[in-house]
């Protein structure tokens, strides 16, 4: 794990107080049923995305293989609450680690918030 954490292309970070607070607020949302670990991951990704956007990054890519955190269901239909959470903070969710389909970014995402 230490070797992986030191990789120059990775940024391993601990959960922060804002991430834990966001986990609580997301967990209280109606129509969103996630396990505690998934809530922690979602909160961390959302808060980190906000931090990166404050640094000037217009959007963030998130590779997610776990169907619980993907903003679409098995049939490809949009999960409204989860999709809105990602869209509100400009997180583009990839279904794999190939990082394809960037051409599908929503309008306005190529500029800073």
């Amino acid at each position: 794990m230490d070797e992986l954490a030191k990789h120059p292309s990775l940024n391993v970070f601990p959960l922060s107080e804002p991430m834990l607070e966001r986990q609580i607020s997301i967990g209280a949302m109606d129509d969103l049923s996630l396990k505690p670990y998934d809530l922690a991951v979602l909160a961390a990704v959302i808060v980190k995305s906000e931090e990166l956007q404050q640094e000037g990054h217009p959007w963030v890519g998130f590779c997610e293989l776990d169907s619980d955190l993907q903003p679409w269901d098995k049939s490809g239909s949009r999960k409204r609450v989860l999709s809105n959470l990602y869209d509100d903070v400009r997180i583009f969710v990839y279904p794999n680690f190939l990082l394809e389909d960037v051409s599908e970014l929503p309008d306005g995402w190529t500029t800073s918030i």
Side-chain angles (χ1 to χ4, degrees):
M1 179 67 177
D2 288 338
E3 185 177 320
L4 182 62
K6 292 177 184 174
H7 192 282
S9 298
L10 293 178
N11 180 9
V12 178
F13 55 88
L15 288 176
S16 66
E17 190 69 29
M19 291 172 186
L20 294 172
E21 290 171 4
R22 187 67 60 89
Q23 178 180 358
I24 292 167
S25 66
I26 292 170
M29 296 177 76
D30 291 333
D31 299 328
L32 188 63
S33 175
L34 294 174
K35 298 173 203 107
Y37 180 80
D38 290 334
L39 281 171
V41 170
L42 179 60
V45 169
I46 288 173
V47 170
K48 194 63 170 175
S49 174
E50 292 169 341
E51 292 171 359
L52 289 169
Q53 288 177 37
Q54 288 175 356
E55 295 174 11
H57 301 277
W59 62 277
V60 172
F62 177 46
C63 301
E64 185 53 62
L65 304 179
D66 181 350
S67 62
D68 291 333
L69 290 174
Q70 290 175 335
W72 54 84
D73 62 19
K74 291 178 184 177
S75 65
S77 297
R78 184 179 183 268
K79 294 180 189 173
R80 184 185 54 80
V81 175
L82 201 50
S83 291
N84 289 344
L85 283 169
Y86 289 128
D87 289 349
D88 288 347
V89 291
R90 293 184 178 187
I91 295 175
F92 187 85
V93 182
Y94 293 94
N96 54 50
F97 290 93
L98 298 177
L99 305 180
E100 297 170 337
D101 300 327
V102 177
S103 61
E104 296 180 21
L105 288 176
D107 291 337
W109 277 31
T110 55
T111 58
S112 295
I113 293 180

